[in-house]
Amino acid sequence: MMGAMVDAPFAPQVLGHLLIRAAERSREAFASAVDSRGLTPTQARTLFALEQPRAMRDLATEMSCDASNITGIADRLARQGLVERVTGEDRRVKLLTLTAEGRKLRRQLQRTVTRSTFPVDTLTEQEQRELERLLRKLLGE
Amino acid sequence: MMGAMVDAPFAPQVLGHLLIRAAERSREAFASAVDSRGLTPTQARTLFALEQPRAMRDLATEMSCDASNITGIADRLARQGLVERVTGEDRRVKLLTLTAEGRKLRRQLQRTVTRSTFPVDTLTEQEQRELERLLRKLLGE
DNA sequence: TATTGTTATACTCTATAACTATA
DNA sequence: TATAGTTATAGAGTATAACAATA
């Protein structure tokens, strides 16, 4: 992707490049894994965001998209029997809630995705621990 | 993206979870960075794939999408003056080729994207080298 | 006949703006 | 008035199938 990079003695760009390639690989693996369960990436991300029932507005914030999009996403998930709209105490609010089937599929997806996204087994246990530490630091934890 | 994705604290899953979150962050940073130059993520990926002129069919393979999609993507990039179709020796083939403006924007994007995707400065130089080594191993290099 | 790129069609995701029903 | 969700609209990305030009 960034073949023409400056050769610096030590190049942070190279690391950025590697992270981008790792991200690209995970993107494809994620799409492929959820597709095998009949979901689009957005639908799968929505299922993952619904561990607890959630107001649609709140969900839009979580998913970094406009609130109007949630209507259609919820419609398509509801059509598949995976979510329901539950009216809240404030009757303007609708809490998007996983059905029993939705919860089951969510659990299956967790396993499928974490297993298929990266071949973590190629690293020794110690390397896995070190990678975990570095990623946490990078993500600001 | 998947804050609630892995609730079981098995080490490999935690690592997978962290990689997916790092990937998600890079996805958003990438989208935001290329948007500031007026491109969609797909359009930017296409520009990056065009360091050399490339047959549209070949490009479809590289981008992991159906060949029919390239027509529209190429149309939109051509409308912005970034690419041209150059007929090949085999006159069925069209080589998608960056214009001077396309090459210039591609160089600018390389800099913008690698700078904005990850705050690698939060790691020490030694940590950056170690992360680089681990990612290379993970990616199978 | 086989391959390259295109077109037609349909679905999903996305944003903006206007609308409704509640508060 | 303000907020939550919806609808209308438009553009982009994606896949499948059928097509024209070329090999």
Side-chain angles (χ1 to χ4, degrees), chain A:
Chain A
M1 186 163 179
M2 336 244 151
M5 233 52 258
V6 199
D7 358 326
F10 175 70
Q13 297 96 324
V14 172
L15 186 50
H17 181 188
L18 282 167
L19 282 160
I20 289 170
R21 288 188 36 222
E24 177 71 4
R25 175 177 301 185
S26 91
R27 189 185 69 82
E28 287 179 11
F30 183 78
S32 164
V34 303
D35 180 69
S36 74
R37 299 319 255 275
L39 294 181
T40 66
T42 295
Q43 288 165 1
R45 288 174 57 219
T46 305
L47 249 52
F48 285 133
L50 288 178
E51 186 173 15
Q52 304 298 331
R54 216 160 179 168
M56 298 177 72
R57 204 102 197 163
D58 181 28
L59 190 58
T61 303
E62 169 74 15
M63 310 265 303
S64 303
C65 73
D66 189 86
S68 64
N69 296 319
I70 303 299
T71 299
I73 294 170
D75 286 347
R76 289 182 283 273
L77 287 172
R79 199 198 305 155
Q80 297 174 72
L82 300 173
V83 304
E84 291 175 322
R85 288 167 164 91
V86 176
T87 301
E89 278 189 55
D90 179 337
R91 300 217 328 275
R92 292 172 302 181
V93 172
K94 288 175 189 164
L95 297 162
L96 215 56
T97 308
L98 293 182
T99 63
E101 194 185 344
R103 284 193 299 275
K104 184 178 168 190
L105 181 54
R106 184 179 185 279
R107 277 194 302 274
Q108 293 172 340
L109 282 175
Q110 284 180 337
R111 284 194 292 269
T112 305
V113 167
T114 50
R115 228 188 302 106
S116 71
T117 304
F118 276 109
V120 177
D121 295 349
T122 61
L123 302 181
T124 68
E125 262 196 40
Q126 191 188 340
E127 286 173 332
Q128 291 182 32
R129 271 192 291 272
E130 178 64 3
L131 180 55
E132 179 178 334
R133 184 185 77 77
L134 294 172
L135 287 173
R136 279 192 200 283
K137 190 170 179 186
L138 193 64
L139 289 165
E141 302 202 332

Side-chain angles (χ1 to χ4, degrees), chain B:
Chain B
M1 163 185 182
M2 338 234 151
M5 181 154 166
V6 176
D7 20 27
F10 286 173
Q13 290 181 347
V14 170
L15 186 49
H17 181 190
L18 283 167
L19 281 160
I20 288 169
R21 287 185 41 220
E24 176 70 5
R25 176 178 300 186
S26 91
R27 189 185 68 83
E28 287 180 9
F30 183 78
S32 166
V34 303
D35 180 70
S36 74
R37 299 318 256 275
L39 293 181
T40 65
T42 295
Q43 288 165 1
R45 287 174 57 220
T46 305
L47 249 50
F48 284 132
L50 288 179
E51 187 173 13
Q52 305 297 331
R54 214 159 182 168
M56 295 177 72
R57 204 99 194 167
D58 181 27
L59 190 57
T61 304
E62 168 74 17
M63 311 264 306
S64 302
C65 73
D66 188 86
S68 64
N69 296 319
I70 303 298
T71 299
I73 294 170
D75 286 348
R76 290 183 282 274
L77 287 173
R79 198 198 304 154
Q80 298 175 72
L82 300 172
V83 304
E84 290 175 323
R85 287 168 165 90
V86 176
T87 301
E89 278 188 57
D90 179 338
R91 301 218 326 274
R92 291 173 302 182
V93 172
K94 288 177 189 163
L95 298 161
L96 215 55
T97 308
L98 293 182
T99 62
E101 194 185 345
R103 285 193 298 276
K104 184 177 166 191
L105 180 55
R106 185 179 184 279
R107 278 195 301 273
Q108 292 172 342
L109 281 175
Q110 285 179 337
R111 283 195 292 270
T112 304
V113 166
T114 50
R115 227 187 303 104
S116 73
T117 304
F118 275 109
V120 279
D121 294 349
T122 60
L123 302 182
T124 68
E125 264 199 33
Q126 189 187 343
E127 285 173 334
Q128 291 181 36
R129 272 193 283 270
E130 178 65 3
L131 179 54
E132 181 179 333
R133 184 185 76 78
L134 293 172
L135 287 173
R136 279 193 201 284
K137 189 169 179 186
L138 193 63
L139 288 165
E141 302 202 336

